[in-house]
Amino acid sequence: MSIDISDGHVKIPTTVKFTKLFINGQFVDSLSGSEFETIDPRTGEVIARISEGRKEDIDAAVEAAREAFDTGPWPRMPGAERAKIMLKWADLIDQNASELAALDAIDAGKLYNRCKAHEIPAAANMLRYYAGAADKIHGEVLKASGEFHAYTLMEPVGVVGHIIPWNFPSNMFFIKVSPALAAGCTMVLKPAEQTPLSALFYAHLAKQAGIPDGVLNVVPGFGPTAGAAISSHMNVDKVSFTGSTEVGREIMHAAASSNLKQVSLELGGKSPLLIFDDADVDKAASLALLGIVYNKGEICVASSRVFVQEGIYDEFEKKLVEKAKAWVVGDPFDPKSQQGPQIDKKQFEKILSYIEHGKKEGATLLCGGKRLGDKGYYIEPTIFSNVKGDMLIAQDEIFGPVMSLMKFKTIEEAIMRANNTKYGLAAGIVTKNLDIANTVSRSIRAGIVWINCYFIFGSDIPYGGYKQSGFGREYGMQALHQYLQQKSVVTPIYNSPWL
């Protein structure tokens, strides 16, 4: 896949290198021979045909991962040796950043320049972060009561099934894979059927880096077949899923009714952004807009419910609409574009349907609300005011560039309304008052709260949900520990001079 950027624009190639399943270190056809199409959301046209993994392919991948865990070198390798291979993989990602960014842009409608400058390097750095932890996994010596010596071991959980979404294909791949590899696990990863291309390329680079066969298996396919097979598999020890709350429930049920495997879930959100009277209105408006249009609103922590205190509301609304109307929606390979197309036709139509619901329920459409152009899945940044808390657009996760703008009077009202959701993934606060910031951040039931900023993630900042936004944490050492089990070992002590 060659990429030409000599004229300031990326020329998209017509061929894709990797389209088959990656099982036990080899690219192979699906056992059924079935394929599916991956679509370019800029045009609605087919990019490539991808081998479709089904239950029998998941079985083969799990068998390879089980063999690699039970008898292979990866879990038995010193942590420092695992780290060397992970660091080499990270370097290979950096060397192929342009091609990987192009794959995520053409497959997911993501901005090419942002992918190349930020998201692909962040994926490589995620590997480096956990590579640094691979040789620092240890238990502790315990002071046992009685004549016993006791200590704990931290052991890899085993074979892990990763099921990742389509909105951040590279980021989600390495959020899951990096800590699991550092812990010494082996794994089967199912990328979203909408975005398999970069995942398969990463598998190729993993092989080049020296990750042993069977340790990482990548099986594109659909949720009801491949995803369900992972969740219910008797030889998978843990499943980690990012996606919708509805599918999260199905995965928990499958895990419970099979081998009671461990589960971690990062699910939906309907995140509030609370802007108080003392805020800088212009900066707050910019932050609020970014919170809903970043990645075209296809992000689980999007600030889709914006609450503004009444003293600045009118000025804020005016500035917000001005900024939204100036936001540039266009081809993700165009450097001028600030927002690309929605992921696919289904999501595109879902978002437009929610916009129609907002109109019918009596919300005021301040700007946007329509598709852009007659080709591809582009939608204007859309802002509704006069939104009531029980409206569909204020309750459901839309996963698109649609904001509900609301007014509040008191801190107590803002907290109550912010928490009036089944979700609890993220929240934002804009204020210069430390007391307000402290009170509100401790009162909102969400896994991460940003004060005077938004979308600040980092390898060392744990992130996850409250309520129906899931459980378990990504990032930080907390993520590493999700792929480890603690074992206590006790032995008698005879004739010791001390206990």
Side-chain angles (χ1 to χ4, degrees):
M1 186 178 189
S2 60
I3 297 173
D4 181 359
I5 55 173
S6 58
D7 61 353
H9 294 274
V10 181
K11 294 180 180 177
I12 309 305
T14 56
T15 58
V16 172
K17 289 178 182 174
F18 306 107
T19 60
K20 298 183 178 183
L21 316 181
F22 186 77
I23 298 176
N24 204 22
Q26 304 296 325
F27 283 102
V28 296
D29 290 317
S30 62
L31 290 171
S32 69
S34 298
E35 296 179 334
F36 66 94
E37 296 174 343
T38 187
I39 304 297
D40 182 348
R42 302 172 310 143
T43 62
E45 297 171 358
V46 176
I47 305 168
R49 296 188 62 81
I50 308 297
S51 291
E52 181 192 342
R54 296 182 178 176
K55 182 182 182 300
E56 60 270 24
D57 303 294
I58 295 296
D59 288 342
V62 172
E63 182 180 355
R66 175 55 63 191
E67 180 72 15
F69 185 78
D70 288 348
T71 65
W74 190 254
R76 294 154 191 84
M77 194 180 289
E81 293 302 310
R82 287 201 299 271
K84 285 181 183 177
I85 295 172
M86 292 171 71
L87 291 171
K88 184 175 180 181
W89 191 12
D91 290 342
L92 289 171
I93 292 167
D94 284 341
Q95 292 166 23
N96 290 273
S98 294
E99 191 163 351
L100 288 161
L103 289 176
D104 279 354
I106 196 173
D107 214 14
K110 298 177 70 68
L111 299 178
Y112 170 79
N113 283 339
R114 178 162 186 83
C115 285
K116 184 180 177 184
H118 299 287
E119 292 187 19
I120 306 303
N125 287 336
M126 182 80 66
L127 264 178
R128 295 185 178 105
Y129 177 86
Y130 286 104
D135 62 352
K136 300 171 184 66
I137 298 169
H138 55 79
E140 57 183 347
V141 176
L142 306 173
K143 181 66 174 177
S145 58
E147 296 181 341
F148 298 95
H149 174 61
Y151 59 92
T152 61
L153 299 172
M154 301 300 291
E155 299 181 343
V157 72
V159 175
V160 179
H162 299 300
I163 304 173
I164 65 172
W166 41 259
N167 56 334
F168 285 86
S170 293
N171 177 272
M172 291 297 172
F173 186 103
F174 287 100
I175 280 178
K176 307 292 189 186
V177 166
S178 304
L181 285 176
C185 296
T186 61
M187 61 211 69
V188 177
L189 181 141
K190 190 196 88 66
E193 61 269 22
Q194 295 90 341
T195 53
L197 297 183
S198 61
L200 294 171
F201 200 106
Y202 287 126
H204 161 69
L205 295 180
K207 174 86 170 179
Q208 287 190 337
I211 289 181
D213 292 350
V215 172
L216 173 68
N217 304 273
V218 177
V219 183
F222 293 87
T225 49
I230 290 172
S231 304
S232 61
H233 206 289
M234 296 297 291
N235 248 335
V236 171
D237 301 302
K238 174 184 173 65
V239 62
S240 177
F241 169 74
T242 296
S244 72
T245 298
E246 293 71 25
V247 175
R249 284 195 182 93
E250 294 180 18
I251 287 171
M252 281 192 72
H253 184 271
S257 60
S258 55
N259 60 343
L260 210 64
K261 59 179 64 67
Q262 295 182 33
V263 177
S264 56
L265 304 172
E266 193 262 277
L267 306 175
K270 194 68 178 176
S271 301
L273 175 61
L274 281 60
I275 300 170
F276 291 86
D277 278 343
D278 64 344
D280 180 308
V281 175
D282 188 69
K283 290 180 180 178
S286 295
L287 195 68
L289 180 64
L290 182 66
I292 195 60
V293 296
Y294 175 71
N295 203 54
K296 354 112 183 199
E298 293 175 345
I299 180 167
C300 45
V301 294
S303 58
S304 51
R305 296 183 299 140
V306 177
F307 299 92
V308 182
Q309 202 161 14
E310 60 184 3
I312 60 169
Y313 179 88
D314 291 340
E315 181 186 0
F316 177 90
E317 180 186 287
K318 181 180 177 183
K319 284 186 177 291
L320 178 66
V321 171
E322 288 173 357
K323 292 175 184 291
K325 289 180 176 179
W327 195 255
V328 180
V329 181
D331 191 301
F333 289 95
D334 185 342
K336 300 185 188 70
S337 294
Q338 296 172 291
Q339 178 184 323
Q342 310 306 138
I343 184 69
D344 61 13
K345 184 179 181 181
K346 180 180 177 182
Q347 183 64 18
F348 171 78
E349 291 177 345
K350 175 187 171 185
I351 295 166
L352 292 175
S353 173
Y354 272 110
I355 291 171
E356 290 306 308
H357 272 293
K359 294 176 185 177
K360 290 175 183 175
E361 289 184 311
T364 302
L365 181 64
L366 296 177
C367 64
K370 302 188 297 294
R371 75 174 296 173
L372 277 170
D374 55 5
K375 183 172 71 170
Y377 308 125
Y378 298 90
I379 295 178
E380 296 174 327
T382 300
I383 301 171
F384 282 101
S385 66
N386 296 317
V387 178
K388 296 179 180 177
D390 60 353
M391 289 181 177
L392 207 60
I393 58 171
Q395 288 291 322
D396 286 6
E397 183 180 40
I398 298 173
F399 227 61
V402 182
M403 177 194 296
S404 293
L405 180 62
M406 292 166 275
K407 187 189 302 185
F408 71 90
K409 291 183 178 182
T410 66
I411 295 175
E412 293 75 18
E413 179 196 350
I415 292 168
M416 180 189 70
R417 295 173 68 185
N419 283 329
N420 181 28
T421 173
K422 64 184 178 183
Y423 298 113
L425 199 53
I429 302 165
V430 184
T431 181
K432 297 172 186 174
N433 187 310
L434 184 60
D435 290 337
I436 292 175
N438 284 334
T439 298
V440 177
S441 61
R442 284 160 171 75
S443 300
I444 293 178
R445 293 187 53 74
I448 188 167
V449 179
W450 291 294
I451 300 172
N452 297 326
C453 59
Y454 211 81
F455 292 137
I456 305 303
F457 293 102
S459 299
D460 48 0
I461 303 174
Y463 157 72
Y466 282 30
K467 300 190 282 187
Q468 293 186 42
S469 289
F471 48 82
R473 292 294 179 264
E474 312 284 13
Y475 299 120
M477 290 301 100
Q478 288 86 344
L480 178 68
H481 293 155
Q482 290 185 153
Y483 299 101
L484 295 166
Q485 294 192 110
Q486 187 178 62
K487 176 187 286 182
S488 295
V489 181
V490 184
T491 182
I493 297 176
Y494 301 105
N495 305 315
S496 174
W498 53 271
L499 295 178

